[in-house]
DNA sequence: AAACTTTTCTGCAAAAAATGTATTTTTAAT
DNA sequence: ATTAAAAATACATTTTTTGCAGAAAAGTTT
């Protein structure tokens, strides 16, 4: 397999072999080096070296994904947070990030300032959480929406990077 | 280790041992059965049996998580989709779900009908994507917001289920 | 409550996979 | 072309997983 550099960040270049490995691991994070090596026609050692580099660089991480609904999180919600004065945004973000219910937190370019996605046991738990957020200094308003039905939840499609 | 049933869905009961295993695997999906067994004071066989059950039930999956930004997705955005007439919601959802850029798609209780999160290479790619969505029959309006800074991206915190 | 059934856990041997290291091959630079 | 550096390979060793068979626990039935 040849290694044509792909148009990624210059400092950490990745070739086709890396991407091929990622493709396997995205599907099953426990795929053995042996199997990957066979499928890609390289030695086990090569796969191992590459794998470790990908981990070290933080490009890849192997995690056990737990289905939230199946273990008891029956309420997945989206909270739009309006911060005032705007200068408090970072401070507020840091405080919200600490709450364990928060699965995603980001600053956006939209109407509101911060987006908070939370996993709660139930509506009761959610309400308690919202109150906690509302009590934070700088939180001016919140708008909550519940995710009724999740149609898709997928990892990034690496093919989008190859074919342009 | 004793197995006090925890308040999860009745049909697939999980005990403390299962949760302890999940906790390990959430951190490192490649943790060997041997290590888990030692830490939890059970036999390797037990860990294996439980592990397989968790996989089969879809409670757990081991995946290689790829850092989108590091491989070339420099634009993570949020698109609010308004569907009209409302009856087309499911149809529209199915069509959007097929697009490879979509990492998350859900129906919400908020102002808009569908929330679409997308991973794109750059703003250009994003714009092309938005046009594709806008062209779908039933899509009345879209509002896009870019995630400027992601403060947190975390798996569900299982401790929230134990202590209530 | 004893006898029986089912499920879960354990222990051990065999197979498979990962690791450590020395060597070869490839790549890049002068 | 020559040489230096980086990456890939091969193979012996260690570790982990897998496949069962037997033991222990939990749950039923009478």
């Amino acid at each position: 397999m040849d290694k044509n550099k792909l148009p990624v960040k210059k400092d950490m270049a990745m070739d086709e072999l890396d991407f091929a490995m990622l493709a396997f691991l995205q599907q099953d994070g426990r795929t053995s080096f042996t199997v990957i090596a066979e499928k890609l026609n390289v030695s086990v050692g090569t796969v191992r070296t590459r794998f470790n580099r990908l981990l070290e660089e933080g490009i890849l991480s192997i995690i056990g994904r737990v289905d939230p609904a199946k273990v008891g999180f029956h309420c997945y919600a989206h909270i739009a947070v309006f911060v005032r004065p705007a200068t408090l945004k970072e401070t507020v973000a840091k405080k919200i990030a600490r709450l364990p219910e928060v699965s995603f937190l980001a600053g956006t370019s939209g109407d509101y300032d911060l987006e908070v996605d939370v996993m709660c046991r139930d509506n009761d738990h959610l309400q308690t959480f919202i109150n906690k957020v509302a009590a934070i200094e700088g939180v001016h308003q919140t708008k909550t929406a519940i995710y009724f039905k999740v149609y898709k939840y997928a990892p990034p499609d690496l093919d989008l990077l190859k074919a342009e």
Side-chain angles (χ1 to χ4, degrees), chain A residues 105-121:
Chain A
L105 172 63
T108 83
S109 69
D111 304 329
Y112 42 89
D113 300 293
L114 295 172
E115 172 171 328
V116 188
D117 289 358
V118 287
M119 300 221 173
C120 292
R121 290 184 299 270

Side-chain angles (χ1 to χ4, degrees), chain A residues 26-158:
Chain A
Q26 267 189 325
Q27 281 213 298
D28 176 2
R30 279 210 168 211
T31 314
S32 73
F33 296 164
T34 312
V35 169
I36 296 175
E38 278 166 9
K39 302 254 187 185
L40 300 179
N41 291 310
V42 287
S43 74
V44 198
T46 302
V47 172
R48 177 185 20 154
T49 311
R50 300 270 191 139
F51 178 90
N52 288 330
R53 190 190 73 103
L54 290 169
L55 281 191
E56 268 162 30
E57 308 243 10
I59 294 166
L60 171 73
S61 47
I62 309 292
I63 57 157
R65 206 188 94 72
V66 175
D67 185 321
K70 289 192 177 154
V71 294
F73 291 99
H74 303 296
C75 184
Y76 187 30
H78 169 289
I79 305 170
V81 177
F82 299 76
V83 180
R84 279 197 207 161
T87 48
L88 286 178
K89 201 170 98 169
E90 286 286 321
T91 322
V92 170
K94 280 204 184 77
K95 283 180 187 163
I96 293 178
R98 277 191 221 116
L99 303 171
E101 287 88 350
V102 176
S103 72
F104 178 76
L105 172 63
T108 83
S109 69
D111 304 329
Y112 42 89
D113 300 293
L114 295 172
E115 172 171 328
V116 188
D117 289 358
V118 287
M119 300 221 173
C120 292
R121 290 184 299 270
D122 46 40
N123 288 348
D124 223 57
H125 184 195
L126 174 60
Q127 189 159 35
T128 312
F129 177 84
I130 295 171
N131 292 338
K132 257 188 240 167
V133 172
I136 294 173
E137 190 197 334
V139 172
H140 179 255
Q141 195 198 155
T142 64
K143 273 192 192 174
T144 304
I146 290 177
Y147 293 119
F148 279 135
K149 181 175 176 180
V150 176
Y151 295 96
K152 185 177 182 181
Y153 186 59
D157 184 340
L158 303 181

